Amino acid sequence: SPASLGKLRKIMFDICHAKEPICEPCGKKDGYYRPIQNLPSPLNWQNGESRLDSKIILPFNLREYVFIYPNTTIIVAGAKSSGKTGFLYRTVVLNMHRKVILLSTMEGGEAQLRDRFNAMTDVVIPKPAPFEVYHVTEHFHDYIKFPDTLYVIDYLDVPESGEFYLIAGLISKIQRKLKENSNAVIGLQKPYGRDLAFGGAGTINDATLYLALDSHKLKIVDAKVPADPTIIPKNMQWKFAYEDAGTKFTSISQIYGD
């Protein structure tokens, strides 16, 4: 009833404005509150291992140039038919000695996924495959659950609302869900000839490594930590050809300038 609702609002107002409140209003809508968090236990940050490596293996021998810490995110922004899915699938098989989960929109269906993996004639994928594949189209962060896992996402699409700026928030949700020694490699769509994915500059914020794929060209848009501090990998580029349903990269050579 309106009377009881008014009493409830008064109670919540008093709780939120107490000397030591336990909750506070949340957002712009009336009636939404969040509990105030207690200070967590301090981090014992000095006893960890220095330069703790995620041990992720990436195509193009990229680990020669970039260092990847655990619990970080790699973005692969690709124009249509540029080799983005091939790069992601190749990342899966390069790391199948560890726990790998592929979250795929299955854009070409299960048959195309199977054909692309089967086309990798230069590697032997055991049967059953040592990695897991799930058909996922949204809320990818719900599936980030395990430690010591490499999550490969093909791909994070624009929300149904069509609001591109929301993509950055979706990446952040995935980043926050990563547990001990886990990483995410996330595929995004991008326009032809532009480095940044749909969603713009916000998509680069959480990435420890940001790659751009155009037809027969790969570029390191940003890398937070170089493998060798004396060699800056940002803006390094390679040209390539690809075979076997777009899952095998060949004729790889570094290029300079535009």
Side-chain angles (χ1 to χ4, degrees):
S1 67
S4 59
L5 182 59
K7 290 180 180 179
L8 180 59
R9 284 180 172 170
K10 178 63 169 63
I11 292 171
M12 294 305 302
F13 180 89
D14 291 342
I15 292 175
C16 291
H17 293 82
K19 186 177 181 180
E20 295 184 4
I22 59 173
C23 67
E24 65 180 12
C26 179
K28 298 180 179 180
K29 292 184 178 180
D30 186 30
Y32 286 78
Y33 303 89
R34 60 171 291 273
I36 295 174
Q37 304 296 320
N38 293 322
L39 188 67
S41 300
L43 296 173
N44 189 14
W45 56 272
Q46 289 181 303
N47 290 337
E49 179 183 339
S50 298
R51 291 281 283 191
L52 182 62
D53 193 345
S54 64
K55 297 183 171 60
I56 292 175
I57 302 172
L58 294 172
F60 291 77
N61 292 321
L62 289 173
R63 291 305 312 275
E64 182 179 342
Y65 307 99
V66 297
F67 188 86
I68 307 294
Y69 282 101
N71 308 321
T72 57
T73 300
I74 297 168
I75 298 296
V76 182
K80 184 173 176 58
S81 302
S82 63
K84 177 180 78 275
T85 293
F87 186 100
L88 296 171
Y89 286 10
R90 178 64 58 166
T91 300
V92 169
V93 299
L94 286 173
N95 293 276
M96 60 184 177
H97 57 280
R98 59 177 294 183
K99 184 176 178 64
V100 181
I101 293 178
L102 171 61
L103 304 176
S104 174
T105 59
M106 305 290 286
E107 190 175 61
E110 185 176 327
Q112 186 178 85
L113 179 142
R114 180 170 54 251
D115 288 347
R116 282 190 158 182
F117 278 115
N118 288 342
M120 295 186 192
T121 55
D122 58 320
V123 294
V124 177
I125 301 177
K127 195 171 183 178
F131 52 87
E132 301 171 21
V133 181
Y134 296 94
H135 181 198
V136 181
T137 58
E138 59 183 355
H139 307 305
F140 287 89
H141 60 282
D142 288 348
Y143 302 88
I144 311 297
K145 297 178 179 293
F146 305 110
D148 302 303
T149 303
L150 173 60
Y151 292 93
V152 179
I153 297 174
D154 181 31
Y155 57 94
L156 192 59
D157 202 358
V158 179
E160 288 186 2
S161 63
E163 296 171 302
F164 292 105
Y165 73 91
L166 294 175
I167 295 175
L170 301 179
I171 295 170
S172 294
K173 286 183 177 182
I174 293 169
Q175 169 72 39
R176 290 194 296 268
K177 288 290 294 292
L178 293 172
K179 298 180 181 291
E180 296 84 0
N181 198 36
S182 289
N183 293 84
V185 181
I186 304 173
L188 299 178
Q189 292 275 44
K190 78 175 191 68
Y192 289 104
R194 191 179 87 181
D195 288 344
L196 297 180
F198 291 110
T203 64
I204 206 170
N205 292 340
D206 287 307
T208 193
L209 173 64
Y210 198 104
L211 304 172
L213 271 166
D214 279 291
S215 180
H216 305 286
K217 188 174 80 170
L218 171 73
K219 178 180 179 180
I220 296 178
V221 179
D222 189 61
K224 286 186 177 179
V225 188
D228 180 346
T230 66
I231 300 175
I232 305 303
K234 184 176 181 178
N235 293 324
M236 284 184 174
Q237 300 181 66
W238 291 262
K239 63 180 180 179
F240 61 89
Y242 53 88
E243 305 170 0
D244 297 338
T247 53
K248 182 179 180 182
F249 298 92
T250 62
S251 303
I252 297 171
S253 61
Q254 192 167 354
I255 56 177
Y256 301 90
D258 296 328

